[in-house]
Amino acid sequence: MKELVVVGNGMVGHRLVQAMRDRDTAGAWRITVLGQETRPAYDRVALSSYVDGKTAEELTLPEVADPLVRLHLGDAAVKLDRDARVVHTESGRELPYDALVLATGSVPFVPPVPGRDLPGCFVYRTLDDLDAIMAAAERAVAGPGPGRRSAVVVGGGLLGLEAARALRLLGLSPQVVEIAPRLMPVQVDEGGGAVLRRLVETEDLQVRCGVSVNGISEDRGRLIASLSDGIELDADLVVFSAGIRPADGLAREAGLPVGERGGVLVNTSCRTPDPHIWAVGEVAALEGRTYGLVAPGYAMAEVVADRLLGGEATMTPAELDMSTQLKMLGVDVASFGDALARTAGALEVIVNDPVAGTYAKLVVSDDAKTLLGGVLVGDASKYATLRPLVGSPLPADPVAMIAPGGVELGADALPDSAQVCSCNAVTKGAICSAIADGAHDVPGIKACTRAGTSCGSCVPMLKKLLEQSGVEVSKALCEHFSVSRAELFEIVASTGVRTFSEIIARHGTGRGCDICKPAVASILASLGTGHVLSGEQAALQDTNDHFLANLQRNGTYSVVPRIPGGEITPEGLIVIGQVARDFGLYTKITGGQRIDMFGARVEQLPAIWRRLVDAGFESGHAYGKALRTVKSCVGTTWCRYGQQDSVGLAVALELRYRGLRSPHKVKAGVSGCARECAEARSKDFGVIATETGWNLYVGGNGGFTPRHAELIASDVDTDTLIALIDRFLMFYIRTADRLQRTASWVEAMDGGLDHLRAVIVDDSLGICADLEAAMEKHVAGYADEWRGVLDDPEKLERFVSFVNAPETPDPTISFVSERGQPVPVTLGLPGVRA
């Protein structure tokens, strides 16, 4: 029997052992694995989920239970004797080998800046690193003094953004410092990086690109990060995530050749110049280049396993999948194939929509027939379909494939040979065979094929393939709740549980995430469980709800008082004008008949709202998933064509539904006649006056995909109209999915508008009285959220830019004057081209 020693017990080393045991049915090899960490191999790709609540046990990879496998944890290899073919370990073991595989991975790169070793400075690489970060964050958050605690993340790449997200979950306000001119410079191009930065900054994460950290110092118990542009950032933690370096020290000392930028040089069979030694994963330099992703490492492990068992497998850099996908703080970004168009003659097709916050690029061959790669930012929902098509003929016009409202590619667009799971090299054909053999859910497919068991980015495609096969797919809210949002709403409503911690303890798992926390916050708010910033609810809110204002692109906030129906007195106009003038705010009259004021710093918000509330204004909920506006024309009061009092009805409706939290924001309109000056049919619900009453339309708007509302009731009187709207809104709030607009909610409903009409008009389910009662409870319980903040000193404490200097404004916020008003200093964005 031959001896194989694997140095390294990470994901790639574990995959190699699995592959060997799966193929070595004759038992030709005995395998000894050396792990430097004391933990068994775990899923490092999902490292950040540890902060979300996953346990170390849940992240642990399946044990390779085989008598021919020996695992030594906490015992690193310290020396290779290549002549004697023996590995010496830290504990004194001497392990002879016939073949040796280096799978030592990489180590974090920490820039050699002064102060990098101070207490409070961390790297983001292992579970032990996260344990230390979590403990430090907990101490910081529990520390004395008002306001937020902050952190600095050095590095704006994939792992740096993951680290920032984790710090945000731990209650800190992170700032990312990236030396390159854009975020994720390896995966995303200039245009995508600009959109990515803008999206990230709207999620309460400050980004500074094109600067480096010159040093870290201590100041009154906190840390100061001094940047190359002269800015100093105060922080409770500093996390270095500035890249990795191959852990090739053992190989260097043994005399094995390494690449110019590190990594053990290997050929296309992953073999070093020493015929008995191989290298896989991040420590291997294939044709001189290393790869910091798990998919190439898995491919290398499969090649080495094949070679050790007599095969002739090879691989080249061109065959490696460098696809990446990230969802951070609700921001989608994905990169796949030749994303930066390095292929000779490659063409780029770009659809850039800065207003919608989306950027999509496809890279195609010089004859525009083959997909080579792409970048998706802001909306990566097409990633699961597009990535497997890399190298395949384009199934449709590339512009239509990425344009909003363009071609929707289904699973049937993929050939059977398309690799759906690049981490584990699983094709569409293999997955369809597993489904045909009885794997009728995602876990079943994972168990049969390994697809979706690594980075998880292909899971949406697994669901599509299940649907294509006629299998019903789970509608679980997220990995922490196995029920849909609608089911969770009913659970919370019926059980009376009113805190997230109790809800997840009784009906979920883990500690929650960016998906389920805001969803539960919305459900609790819809059920009228008190002020959104009271108690535990405050920690569930997203950025805008956290400060009851919309975060804008330069870190300032907008202030939007409610103006029901667009009707406002001259005195009210004067107050708004005076507030805007006194605080130097940019003002704009919007299409929703409101006056938005932009450019307020966080510590100014209470003072601004004090002036507005004292003048009789209240919050317009421009920050929330709630009713925004009810737009109106002037109706019979002024218009000679008006048939009903559209202004009076719009005011009544806006006051009735103000503060109503819902799965997505809701807009409405009331037109006084069929001329439709209020554009009511483009709203979630719209009312148009007739000679004898009102017509009610529902399910309009649609967001990215504009949609006209459809008629659901005609010529009804005002009382009937309001009852129908009560039922419509409350039925939507109870049964829609997370972030589902009314348009897509109606479209997805079995029976569509006819079913909705049967429920809310004909009371086919017998629930209309309950829906109306729920709305009456909301109306009776309404209270202005900003007044609630101003009356509560504890809630006011969160409105500061700096914890240790509550009165100090953020010095990095700057403006320029445009058309006589202040506007933020912003980065330019590339235009649209195709």
Side-chain angles (χ1 to χ4, degrees), residues 12 16-17 177 231 277 325 459 593 616:
V12 175
L16 172 66
V17 175
V177 178
I231 294 291
I277 300 179
Q325 187 180 22
V459 169
Q593 296 183 336

Side-chain angles (χ1 to χ4, degrees), residues 226-366:
S226 301
L227 308 187
S228 58
D229 61 357
I231 294 291
E232 292 186 338
L233 303 176
D234 64 333
D236 297 279
L237 280 76
V238 174
V239 176
F240 289 96
S241 185
I244 56 175
R245 296 291 183 270
D248 56 12
L250 189 66
R252 287 175 184 267
E253 291 181 7
L256 289 169
V258 297
E260 290 183 5
R261 305 187 65 179
V264 185
L265 290 176
V266 296
N267 60 17
T268 56
S269 65
C270 296
R271 200 172 205 163
T272 71
D274 184 327
H276 299 284
I277 300 179
W278 315 69
V280 294
E282 293 166 341
V283 73
L286 178 63
E287 295 189 1
R289 180 186 170 189
T290 57
Y291 302 87
L293 298 172
V294 71
Y298 279 178
M300 293 177 184
E302 297 289 344
V303 167
V304 172
D306 182 79
R307 285 280 178 167
L308 290 175
L309 294 169
E312 297 181 352
T314 60
M315 63 187 307
T316 64
E319 295 170 329
L320 297 178
D321 188 338
M322 299 298 291
S323 303
T324 54
Q325 187 180 22
L326 172 70
K327 186 175 183 65
M328 185 205 71
L329 299 166
V331 178
D332 284 332
V333 56
S335 164
F336 54 95
D338 183 13
L340 301 182
R342 292 193 170 100
T343 304
L347 306 175
E348 297 177 80
V349 178
I350 297 175
V351 176
N352 182 18
D353 187 346
V355 177
T358 61
Y359 177 90
K361 179 177 85 171
L362 291 184
V363 180
V364 301
S365 58
D366 54 0

Side-chain angles (χ1 to χ4, degrees), residues 491-528:
I491 289 172
V492 176
S494 60
T495 60
V497 180
R498 292 296 181 260
T499 65
F500 179 82
S501 57
E502 190 175 359
I503 292 169
I504 199 167
R506 291 175 58 176
H507 305 287
T509 59
R511 296 168 56 184
C513 62
D514 288 343
I515 295 175
C516 60
K517 284 182 177 178
V520 170
S522 173
I523 291 171
L524 292 173
S526 297
L527 291 169

Side-chain angles (χ1 to χ4, degrees), residues 386-600:
L386 293 174
R387 191 200 54 72
L389 285 171
V390 172
S392 301
L394 289 166
D397 176 70
V399 176
M401 288 168 64
I402 54 177
V407 174
E408 286 294 333
L409 298 177
D412 54 351
L414 302 179
D416 281 351
S417 59
Q419 197 173 82
V420 173
C421 176
S422 59
C423 295
N424 299 284
V426 185
T427 64
K428 174 190 170 183
I431 295 169
C432 290
S433 295
I435 295 172
D437 291 339
H440 287 170
D441 54 24
V442 171
I445 295 175
K446 288 181 176 181
C448 291
T449 67
R450 291 184 183 167
T453 58
S454 297
C455 73
S457 63
C458 63
V459 169
M461 179 52 68
L462 303 185
K463 293 179 178 179
K464 285 188 176 182
L465 291 172
L466 284 166
E467 291 173 345
Q468 184 190 38
S469 303
V471 178
E472 187 175 351
V473 180
S474 168
K475 294 184 178 179
L477 178 61
C478 67
E479 61 181 296
H480 302 105
F481 288 98
S482 61
V483 296
S484 67
R485 180 197 173 275
E487 291 168 330
L488 187 61
F489 187 101
E490 292 305 319
I491 289 172
V492 176
S494 60
T495 60
V497 180
R498 292 296 181 260
T499 65
F500 179 82
S501 57
E502 190 175 359
I503 292 169
I504 199 167
R506 291 175 58 176
H507 305 287
T509 59
R511 296 168 56 184
C513 62
D514 288 343
I515 295 175
C516 60
K517 284 182 177 178
V520 170
S522 173
I523 291 171
L524 292 173
S526 297
L527 291 169
T529 55
H531 198 282
V532 295
L533 299 184
S534 292
E536 193 181 294
Q537 284 200 69
L540 304 178
Q541 310 299 332
D542 61 20
T543 302
N544 290 343
D545 282 299
H546 198 70
F547 294 104
L548 304 184
N550 264 336
L551 178 65
Q552 304 298 336
R553 62 191 313 167
N554 67 337
T556 60
Y557 294 83
S558 60
V559 175
V560 185
R562 185 172 300 286
I563 303 176
E567 186 178 68
I568 186 170
T569 65
E571 288 75 16
L573 283 171
I574 290 170
V575 168
I576 291 177
Q578 290 173 332
V579 168
R581 180 198 60 199
D582 294 348
F583 288 89
L585 306 178
Y586 170 93
T587 57
K588 171 128 186 17
I589 297 173
T590 74
Q593 296 183 336
R594 302 181 304 195
I595 300 175
D596 289 3
M597 292 177 276
F598 296 89

Side-chain angles (χ1 to χ4, degrees), residues 71-90:
L71 176 62
H72 300 298
L73 298 176
D75 193 13
V78 295
K79 180 181 178 183
L80 300 183
D81 186 340
R82 290 170 54 194
D83 294 331
R85 276 191 270 156
V86 173
V87 179
H88 297 265
T89 76
E90 198 170 44

